[in-house]
Amino acid sequence: MPKTEVLRAYRFALDPSGAERAALSRYAGACRWAYNYALARKTRAHQAWADRRSAYLEAGLSEAEAKERIRADGAELTDRIKVWDHHRKTLTLTVADKPPLPAMQCPAGQEALVRRLAAARADAAGTSSERELLAEGRAMVNALKAQAFTAGFRTPTAIDTSALWRMDRDLPQQEGGSPWWREVNVYCFTSGFDRAQAAWKNWQDSLAGRRAGQRHGYPRFKKKGHTESFTLFHDVKRPIIRLESYRRLVMPGLGSIRIHDSGKRLARLVERGQAVIQSVTVTRGGHRWYASVLAKVQQDVPVLWEHVHDDGTRTSYLSRTQAEKAADNGGHVEQIGRPTARQRAGGLVGVGLGSHYLAALSSPLDPADPATALVQHPRLLADSLAKLSKAQRAMSRCQQGSRRWSKATAGVSRIHQQITVRRASFLHGLSKKLATGFTHVAIEDLDITALTTSAKGTRDKPGKNVKAQARFNRHLLDAGLGSLRKKLAYKTAWYGSQLVVLDQGEPVTATCAKCKERNPSSDPSCSTFHCPSCGAAVHRHENSTANIVDAAHRKLTTVASDRGETQNARRATASPGARKAPGKGH
C-alpha cells in the first residue's frame, strides 16, 4: 500500500484530580478571556470604520466611493506602518544572524523615513545598540497599528492582537491588563486570539457569500460556564506534549494527568517514528474533560492520488478532487494503488438518509446478512427524553445561581454529554463500515437546515401541525445526518474509497428506478412507490437507493476519469480532436 502523511486526532477522556481540574478550568478561562479581548479589539476597529462609512454616506457618497475615501484617508498611515515593519523585520534577521530582507519598494511620500531608518541601521550595525533599535522599532510598529485600529483603517489580525496584548499584559486589571498571565501557559492566549480570528473570518466570508451553508452572524463574546476549551502547542523537535506510559498524558504547564483510555496505539506510533505530536486541545463536555492530541501520522492508504507536474515532480493527495483541482494549472492526475478486495467486492453503494431509517443501502453492509441494508435510527435522544425532562424540571425549580441550581445544571449537562458521546460512537462505526466496505459511497446533498425549519409560523400566519413537525425535526436532528456526512468525507479518503455527493434537488424519491419516469404527485410518507407509467410498485427506500446509484454512475462517468475518455452531456467523446459522428454536434 502507498504511504502518506495525514493529520489525525486521538481523543482521550482525562481523569484529573481536584487540583488538576481547577487548573484546567483556569487555562480554559484564560483562553476565553483572550478570545473576548481579541474580539473587543476587532469590534472597536470595525465600529470606527462603520462610523466613517456612515459619515460619508450621509454626505452623499455611494458605498463604493465611501470605501475608497476611507482607503485614501488611511493610505499615509498604512505606508508608514509598512516602512517601520520592514525596518523591524530587517533588524530581527540581523540580530538572529540570518540573511537580510531584499530592499522594499519605497511608498510615495515615505522616502525621508526610509533613508532615516536605513542610516540608523547602518550606525548600529555590529554594536549592542541593535537590540535597542529593534525594541524601538517594535514599539513604533505597535503604536502605529493601534492608531490605525482606533481610526478604523484596518482590523487587527491574530498576530496584531498578540503584539498589542504583550504591551498591555502587565498593566493592572482595571486598565485592561492581565497581570495573572504567568499563572497559565502563554499558548492559552494564542489559541484564544486564533479562534477570534477564525470566527471573524467566518462571519466576513459568510457575509460576502464565500462561505456555503447557513449565514454566520456577527461574532459574539463568550460567557463563562459555556464551552470550556483551550489549545496548547510545543516545539516538535523538543516535545513537551507526550504520553507518559499508556495511561498518563503530559501537557506543558499542567504536568502529567491520568487518562481513562489507553494511549498504547499513539504511544507506539511515536516510538516507531511514525507519528509526531503537534498540539493538544482540551475541552470540557458535561462532567468530563477530553484531550484531543493532534499528530502527523505516516499512514498506509489503499489509494493515493498524485498530481504529476509538467516537470515530472509529484504531489500526493488523499482525495481525487484535491488532485484534479491542483491539475487545473497543468499536469495530470495518476492513481496510485487500488481499493481493497473487500471494497472491490462491495462496489458502489447508494445511501439514502431519511427519517424512517437512518440509512437505507442499495447493498447490505454484511453480504451474508441482507437485513444490514437497513440501518435503524439509534434514537438516543428519544430513549433519554424522559430522564432529560425530569432533570430539566428539577433545574427549573431551583433559584438561578444557587448551589442546587449548579448541581441540577450539571446533571442536565451530563445527560446531554452522554447522548452526544453515544451518537458519535454510533456514527463513527457506521461511517467506517461504509468507507471500508465499498469503493464509492453515494449520498444525497440534503439541506438539513431547510428540512428542520420550524413550522411555528408568525402571529398573522400560524403554522400547521406544529407539534408533529417539531417531533419530526427533533427526530431528524437526533440522527446526526450532517455529522455522518462529515465523517464520511474524511474516512473515505483515509480508507481508499470515494464519497459521491449528488447534486442538490436530484429527484431520487419521485423517479421510477425502472422506467425513469418522474411521478411528482408521489407521497413521500407512503412506504410504497407506485409508478403510473410502468405500473411498478416497490418499497420506497429500494426505489430511492437504486436512483441514487444511477445518479452516482452518471456523475462519475461525466467527469474527468482515469479510465478512458471523458464524455459530454450526450454521452459522446469530449476530446476536441475526436471525429464527430454525422448529425451529432453540428
Side-chain angles (χ1 to χ4, degrees):
M1 285 188 181
K3 181 175 290 188
T4 187
E5 189 176 71
V6 299
L7 282 173
R8 298 196 66 164
Y10 296 82
R11 194 166 186 252
F12 305 106
L14 300 178
D15 184 20
S17 62
E20 292 169 342
R21 191 180 294 272
L24 293 172
S25 297
R26 188 164 60 249
Y27 273 51
C31 182
R32 184 188 66 253
W33 183 93
Y35 175 90
N36 292 337
Y37 174 87
L39 187 56
R41 291 274 186 173
K42 291 177 181 294
T43 303
R44 286 197 294 267
H46 180 258
Q47 187 60 47
W49 176 86
D51 292 342
R52 283 180 173 271
R53 183 192 59 176
S54 299
Y56 283 128
L57 292 177
E58 292 175 359
L61 298 181
S62 64
E63 183 79 17
E65 291 173 343
K67 292 180 180 180
E68 185 61 31
R69 183 68 67 85
I70 295 174
R71 202 175 295 113
D73 293 344
E76 194 273 339
L77 182 57
T78 302
D79 292 341
R80 288 181 61 195
I81 293 175
K82 289 180 181 178
V83 173
W84 274 100
D85 201 31
H86 184 271
H87 172 69
R88 177 192 63 81
K89 291 178 181 178
T90 303
L91 286 172
T92 302
L93 294 175
T94 303
V95 170
D97 293 330
K98 294 182 179 180
L101 290 173
M104 70 173 297
Q105 185 178 359
C106 181
Q110 302 296 327
E111 293 83 1
L113 179 60
V114 171
R115 288 195 297 268
R116 181 168 65 85
L117 295 179
R121 290 196 301 270
D123 294 340
T127 64
S128 58
S129 58
E130 273 186 337
R131 295 186 179 275
E132 299 177 1
L133 196 63
L134 175 59
E136 178 188 352
R138 288 173 176 167
M140 192 63 185
V141 169
N142 292 334
L144 291 174
K145 285 185 177 180
Q147 183 180 347
F149 301 149
T150 304
F153 295 138
R154 59 187 295 177
T155 303
T157 63
I159 298 176
D160 297 334
T161 306
S162 181
L164 295 175
W165 171 72
R166 285 186 172 87
M167 296 175 59
D168 302 338
R169 62 187 180 185
D170 292 323
L171 296 176
Q173 190 169 355
Q174 296 77 7
E175 300 179 15
S178 51
W180 42 266
W181 67 272
R182 292 183 178 85
E183 298 178 10
V184 299
N185 190 281
V186 72
Y187 283 120
C188 293
F189 299 95
T190 305
S191 60
F193 300 149
D194 292 340
R195 293 178 183 187
Q197 180 68 22
W200 192 266
K201 184 178 183 302
N202 290 340
W203 169 67
Q204 288 186 322
D205 290 346
S206 180
L207 192 65
R210 295 188 297 267
R211 183 181 177 88
Q214 191 176 7
R215 178 67 64 90
H216 276 244
Y218 200 85
R220 294 180 293 181
F221 294 96
K222 291 188 177 181
K223 183 180 178 182
K224 182 178 181 181
H226 284 215
T227 303
E228 297 187 21
S229 176
F230 61 92
T231 302
L232 302 177
F233 304 88
H234 69 163
D235 185 358
V236 295
K237 296 181 180 179
R238 292 178 295 178
I240 301 176
I241 304 172
R242 65 185 186 277
L243 282 166
E244 190 178 65
S245 73
Y246 295 151
R247 299 305 294 268
R248 303 193 72 85
L249 179 64
V250 179
M251 292 178 284
L254 294 170
S256 176
I257 299 180
R258 190 179 185 276
I259 60 178
H260 282 287
D261 319 68
S262 174
K264 180 184 295 186
R265 185 181 178 189
L266 177 59
R268 289 187 173 181
L269 288 174
V270 173
E271 290 173 0
R272 292 195 295 261
Q274 297 177 356
V276 178
I277 296 176
Q278 304 293 308
S279 63
V280 59
T281 299
V282 181
T283 307
R284 184 180 67 84
H287 63 295
R288 295 284 190 196
W289 284 91
Y290 298 92
S292 296
V293 182
L294 185 66
K296 282 186 178 179
V297 182
Q298 296 292 333
Q299 179 175 316
D300 294 330
V301 294
V303 177
L304 200 62
W305 301 91
E306 288 191 349
H307 170 217
V308 183
H309 301 264
D310 295 333
D311 58 358
T313 58
R314 295 173 176 266
T315 305
S316 300
Y317 295 92
L318 279 175
S319 70
R320 178 176 180 171
T321 304
Q322 294 175 340
E324 290 177 345
K325 185 176 181 180
D328 289 342
N329 298 325
H332 63 279
V333 177
E334 290 185 4
Q335 177 180 337
I336 307 300
R338 63 173 184 168
T340 62
R342 180 185 174 189
Q343 290 173 330
R344 295 196 302 272
L348 189 150
V349 61
V351 182
L353 305 176
S355 58
H356 189 66
Y357 298 104
L358 173 63
L361 312 180
S362 59
S363 302
L365 288 173
D366 185 3
D369 186 6
T372 56
L374 298 176
V375 181
Q376 301 290 341
H377 279 279
R379 301 180 61 85
L380 298 169
L381 178 61
D383 294 344
S384 304
L385 203 56
K387 182 170 61 174
L388 180 62
S389 300
K390 182 178 179 180
Q392 288 176 330
R393 286 195 299 270
M395 183 184 68
S396 66
R397 290 193 295 267
C398 300
Q399 183 179 357
Q400 188 171 359
S402 64
R403 293 181 63 182
R404 290 185 64 236
W405 178 83
S406 299
K407 185 177 180 180
T409 304
V412 173
S413 178
R414 180 169 186 162
I415 297 173
H416 277 295
Q417 177 63 17
Q418 290 173 347
I419 296 172
T420 302
V421 171
R422 291 169 184 169
R423 181 187 296 117
S425 177
F426 179 84
L427 295 179
H428 273 298
L430 175 60
S431 58
K432 185 173 181 180
K433 289 178 181 178
L434 289 171
T436 57
F438 304 93
T439 57
H440 298 79
V441 181
I443 61 173
E444 298 178 78
D445 187 10
L446 298 177
D447 189 353
I448 304 298
T449 303
L451 287 174
T452 57
T453 301
S454 174
K456 186 176 181 180
T458 62
R459 179 177 297 179
D460 298 333
K461 294 182 179 180
K464 298 180 180 179
N465 299 325
V466 177
K467 290 186 177 180
Q469 182 66 26
R471 286 194 297 268
F472 173 78
N473 292 348
R474 184 170 59 213
H475 174 67
L476 206 58
L477 292 172
D478 183 24
L481 302 182
S483 179
L484 177 61
R485 175 174 170 175
K486 290 180 181 179
K487 290 175 173 56
L488 284 173
Y490 68 83
K491 288 190 178 183
T492 50
W494 281 358
Y495 299 116
S497 53
Q498 294 185 50
L499 178 65
V500 182
V501 181
L502 305 185
D503 297 331
Q504 199 168 68
E506 185 77 27
V508 297
T509 59
T511 304
C512 179
K514 293 184 178 181
C515 66
K516 306 305 179 186
E517 290 293 330
R518 292 191 61 183
N519 182 13
S521 61
S522 176
D523 186 7
S525 62
C526 183
S527 60
T528 304
F529 177 85
H530 296 276
C531 179
S533 299
C534 66
V538 295
H539 201 283
R540 181 166 296 277
H541 72 78
E542 294 179 3
N543 183 76
S544 299
T545 53
N547 286 327
I548 291 175
V549 171
D550 292 340
H553 280 301
R554 292 197 305 269
K555 192 176 183 67
L556 290 173
T557 55
T558 55
V559 299
S561 172
D562 61 330
R563 298 179 181 177
E565 185 58 61
T566 301
Q567 296 177 345
N568 61 17
R570 297 181 179 180
R571 304 294 187 268
T573 303
S575 174
R579 295 184 60 184
K580 298 178 181 179
K584 294 184 178 181
H586 292 282

